[in-house]
Amino acid sequence: MIRSVLRDLASGPIAVQMRRFLVVGALTAGLQLALLWLFVDVAGLNYIIGATIAIEITIICSYVLNNAWTFRASQNTGVSEYFAGLLKTNLVRGTAIPIQLGVLAALVEWGGVMYLIANVIAIVVSGLYRFVLDSQWTWG
């Protein structure tokens, strides 16, 4: 399955979706970093708590953008379908939160990496996981 997904990323039917997913991901990652900075450096929250809140806000933003653009061919329309998709993406991305927070904490605590840089790495590490699950279940 992984080999097939990787092959499709370059030239297969999901290549366009993956590129759009990456654009949305880059935009929402920027938003997440800005929120994380605000929560930690301005509001004084612990970086793990700030990251958790920032992640949830960007989950909602990602869903709105991905539903409208990335997965518009299988877009969730109608109130109940839309909110069911939002619930599904929260479940998918919710399972990625421990991965992202674990990588973030490990890099900060054991690697001495600045929390914002560590968060970028954590976003990338959990990104492919989120794409595969979202494309197959949330919009599959």
Side-chain angles (χ1 to χ4, degrees), residues 56 59-60 63 67 74 76 80-96 129-130 132-140:
E56 183 55 36
I59 285 172
I60 295 167
Y63 175 74
N67 191 61
S74 56
N76 294 318
S80 62
E81 186 180 344
Y82 189 84
F83 284 108
L86 182 58
L87 177 63
K88 284 181 178 181
T89 203
N90 261 285
L91 291 172
V92 164
R93 291 166 183 267
T95 64
Y129 169 84
R130 291 187 317 267
V132 170
L133 290 179
D134 260 342
S135 66
Q136 296 300 308
W137 191 51
T138 305
W139 289 280

Side-chain angles (χ1 to χ4, degrees), residues 38-91:
L38 283 171
F39 294 146
V40 173
D41 286 355
V42 176
L45 292 177
N46 172 278
Y47 74 95
I48 295 294
I49 294 168
T52 304
I53 297 166
I55 290 167
E56 183 55 36
I57 292 169
T58 56
I59 285 172
I60 295 167
C61 293
S62 293
Y63 175 74
V64 170
L65 294 172
N66 278 319
N67 191 61
W69 187 49
T70 307
F71 299 102
R72 71 175 161 214
S74 56
Q75 186 176 53
N76 294 318
T77 57
V79 175
S80 62
E81 186 180 344
Y82 189 84
F83 284 108
L86 182 58
L87 177 63
K88 284 181 178 181
T89 203
N90 261 285
L91 291 172

Side-chain angles (χ1 to χ4, degrees), residues 89-131:
T89 203
N90 261 285
L91 291 172
V92 164
R93 291 166 183 267
T95 64
I97 290 173
I99 296 168
Q100 186 172 341
L101 293 178
V103 171
L104 172 62
L107 290 171
V108 170
E109 300 300 326
W110 298 325
V113 178
M114 181 191 168
Y115 76 94
L116 290 172
I117 294 169
N119 196 57
V120 170
I121 296 166
I123 290 169
V124 171
V125 168
S126 62
L128 185 58
Y129 169 84
R130 291 187 317 267
F131 175 75

